[in-house]
Amino acid sequence: MRLLIAIIASITLLITDYRSERLLPLRATLSVLTDSLKYAVDLPVSLFEKVSSELSSYDTLKKENTSLRQEQLINRTQLLKFDALEKENIRLRALLENSFKLGEQVLIAELLSINLVADEHIMVVNKGTRFGVHPQQPVLDVNGVVGQVFRALPFSSEIMLITDPNHAIPVQVNRNGLLTIAVGSGMSNQLNLPYLPNNADIRPGDLLITSGLGGVFPAGYPVGIVDDFPETNNKSIPHITATPKSLLDRKREVLIVWGSNALMPLTTPLSKTPADNEQ
Amino acid sequence: MNNSYSAMRIFITLFFAMCLRITPLSDTLAPLNPDWVLLVLIYWSLAIPESVGIAHAWFLGILVDVLLGRHFGQNAFIYSLVIYACLVWHKQLRQFPVVQQSAFIFLCLLFSQLLFFWFKNVHASVQITGIFWLPIFSGTVLWPFIYQLMRSIRRL
């Protein structure tokens, strides 16, 4: 009898959860309990890191400082150029009567060192809806795209990595703009590129960047580098893979990005475009 | 046995089981991490079936659903079914030698993993690899040790 009630209750919950978002408040409430568990499990690791950083010697700190300073110098000079390029890009796009996505806001979040489900590449970070995080936000680190926010809870959020077997990200080859989709492989250092024609112009070492299609990821962020693949004749399609740029298992800090949702029109829009009619 | 005392022990062991469930492990060990919560719950349902029931299993399942970011009701469904089986056969199971118990645990874990696979596929077909089934074997191998450990905790 009790079993029957339990089964009916769980199936009802399952169906409501699959069909709608109505159970989100319940999940948010219960997550306060489970999030404290997540933080408890993370505590030894973060404590260890804190202590080891406290104990690092003056010498290493000094070395780190000089190297960071040099890096910043290089970055600054590159940014100078970037500014000019951005302005030029905006001007050119204005000529094409194109819209341009401006400024993205970021929030630094820290990974909690816990494992949820082994065969899914989902990570948990310490920022949640309290900080305005919402699902489908892109997540980056200093090297490239990490993944996207999968579910946001009050005190933590789950991030699906681009290497998850159920994740796909629209990319383009930086060299020639060839568009394709990078699908997660389930391995933390590999992405698959299954949707390429066998005469596609793609070479080992090509940089893949986000194409901005699909609307989740802003365009232009590095995703991965195409791996070596054997040269074949045109009859067979080689299995092409890429290595993600982001250091998914080594970095503890990630950036959650707020893209500006509205496109900024640079020229006065025409009265009605076909795209407007469709909406 | 003092009731509140044992309730506290159940609570603490389940707390640690949930911690172990999400504990960070290396890439080679992580796929082997078994469903600790279910194993501990099975132990309690065999040891004191009068105070651990389907309702407990169900609520715990809901909590694990939130913890692991599953859809609501998956773990609740699985836990209540497995605990029901344990409650029905607990008299026989307690007489079994540990090896035979492990065989039963293997079946329970296999059943739960099959249901997980099914739940994953209800919404959209997903890819899984061989490592998906590894927790069943690690859980079975670990069962004798968990059994001994839990028994010593119960008899403290």
Side-chain angles (χ1 to χ4, degrees):
Chain A
M1 184 60 201
R2 275 200 204 146
L3 179 71
L4 210 65
I5 296 173
I7 287 175
I8 290 169
S10 21
I11 289 178
T12 327
L13 278 176
L14 263 174
I15 291 171
T16 9
D17 206 23
Y18 271 124
R19 292 270 166 89
S20 71
E21 309 249 290
R22 239 174 294 165
L23 290 174
L24 268 181
L26 177 64
R27 187 182 286 274
T29 322
L30 286 174
S31 77
V32 176
L33 279 175
T34 55
D35 278 0
S36 49
L37 261 175
K38 289 177 191 169
Y39 281 94
V41 172
D42 176 61
L43 193 68
V45 181
S46 55
L47 258 184
F48 175 75
E49 272 179 18
K50 235 174 223 165
V51 169
S52 64
S53 78
E54 291 282 327
L55 292 179
S56 60
S57 67
Y58 176 76
D59 250 16
T60 42
L61 279 180
K62 196 158 184 192
K63 260 183 212 159
E64 203 180 291
N65 202 340
T66 39
S67 75
L68 282 175
R69 217 171 271 231
Q70 278 173 354
E71 209 171 291
Q72 206 212 3
L73 208 71
I74 295 167
N75 283 342
R76 273 247 179 113
T77 42
Q78 272 176 352
L79 265 181
L80 288 177
K81 232 159 114 195
F82 175 78
D83 234 22
L85 280 174
E86 194 183 44
K87 286 279 149 57
E88 184 184 324
N89 199 337
I90 292 175
R91 271 201 311 278
L92 287 172
R93 276 171 192 270
L95 285 178
L96 290 168
E97 293 189 4
N98 209 334
S99 46
F100 189 67
K101 274 200 173 175
L102 282 177
E104 282 131 11
Q105 266 192 311
V106 294
L107 173 75
I108 296 180
E110 225 171 88
L111 293 180
L112 298 181
S113 43
I114 58 175
N115 269 347
L116 287 190
V117 187
D119 59 315
E120 288 173 10
H121 290 211
I122 287 177
M123 285 191 168
V124 180
V125 296
N126 65 352
K127 298 279 158 69
T129 49
R130 283 290 180 97
F131 287 86
V133 177
H134 57 83
Q136 292 205 330
Q137 271 184 299
V139 179
L140 314 171
D141 74 359
V142 283
N143 297 299
V145 177
V146 172
Q148 58 177 303
V149 177
F150 174 65
R151 181 183 283 133
L153 299 169
F155 298 99
S156 68
S157 16
E158 291 158 22
I159 287 168
M160 187 183 253
L161 304 183
I162 51 173
T163 50
D164 187 286
N166 300 311
H167 191 271
I169 173 171
V171 293
Q172 62 180 346
V173 177
N174 195 28
R175 185 167 50 82
N176 55 11
L178 174 75
L179 293 167
T180 184
I181 291 173
V183 181
S185 64
M187 282 174 279
S188 64
N189 56 359
Q190 194 179 313
L191 296 167
N192 292 333
L193 301 169
Y195 308 113
L196 280 169
N198 53 3
N199 60 352
D201 177 18
I202 190 162
R203 294 180 207 151
D206 274 348
L207 176 67
L208 299 173
I209 59 172
T210 49
S211 65
L213 297 177
V216 173
F217 294 96
Y221 284 107
V223 176
I225 301 235
V226 178
D227 294 333
D228 286 337
F229 55 88
E231 290 284 337
T232 52
N233 50 359
N234 284 348
K235 275 176 191 158
S236 64
I237 307 165
H239 176 67
I240 298 179
T241 58
T243 310
K245 285 280 277 180
S246 58
L247 303 167
L248 297 172
D249 24 343
R250 265 165 280 174
K251 286 276 167 185
R252 265 175 78 83
E253 270 108 24
V254 293
L255 304 171
I256 302 176
V257 180
W258 276 263
S260 47
N261 284 336
L263 291 169
M264 300 279 197
L266 291 164
T267 50
T268 44
L270 300 171
S271 56
K272 268 241 162 140
T273 56
D276 286 337
N277 288 334
E278 275 172 24
Q279 282 170 358
Chain B
M1 197 192 291
N2 189 343
N3 220 347
S4 70
Y5 189 53
S6 72
M8 194 147 99
R9 263 183 291 192
I10 294 173
F11 180 79
I12 290 172
T13 48
L14 285 173
F15 174 84
F16 276 108
M18 282 169 101
C19 285
L20 278 173
R21 188 78 175 80
I22 57 167
T23 193
L25 294 168
S26 65
D27 277 1
T28 45
L29 278 179
L32 285 168
N33 200 14
D35 194 344
W36 294 97
V37 186
L38 184 59
L39 289 171
V40 170
L41 202 61
I42 289 174
Y43 175 80
W44 285 122
S45 73
L46 294 181
I48 35 175
E50 61 279 358
S51 50
V52 174
I54 292 169
H56 297 88
W58 192 81
F59 280 112
L60 198 72
I62 291 287
L63 265 186
V64 173
D65 282 331
V66 178
L67 180 72
L68 301 183
R70 311 281 88 190
H71 277 292
F72 260 126
Q74 287 190 8
N75 280 297
F77 185 84
I78 291 162
Y79 285 6
S80 37
L81 273 175
V82 170
I83 295 307
Y84 175 74
C86 291
L87 290 176
V88 168
W89 288 307
H90 76 269
K91 285 202 183 100
Q92 290 95 313
L93 282 166
R94 277 199 285 199
Q95 308 302 320
F96 281 171
V98 172
V99 181
Q100 249 170 309
Q101 266 183 13
S102 293
F104 175 76
I105 298 298
F106 178 78
L107 286 180
C108 286
L109 293 175
L110 179 68
F111 176 69
S112 79
Q113 210 71 351
L114 276 172
L115 277 176
F116 265 125
F117 179 57
W118 184 66
F119 281 130
K120 268 173 171 254
N121 269 291
V122 166
H123 202 49
S125 79
V126 290
Q127 291 184 11
I128 57 159
T129 47
I131 62 165
F132 181 78
W133 308 103
L134 284 180
I136 307 173
F137 299 103
S138 59
T140 312
V141 170
L142 281 171
W143 171 255
F145 304 103
I146 295 169
Y147 185 78
Q148 287 302 326
L149 181 72
M150 294 294 293
R151 184 142 74 168
S152 54
I153 289 174
R154 183 164 66 99
R155 292 187 176 164
L156 272 180

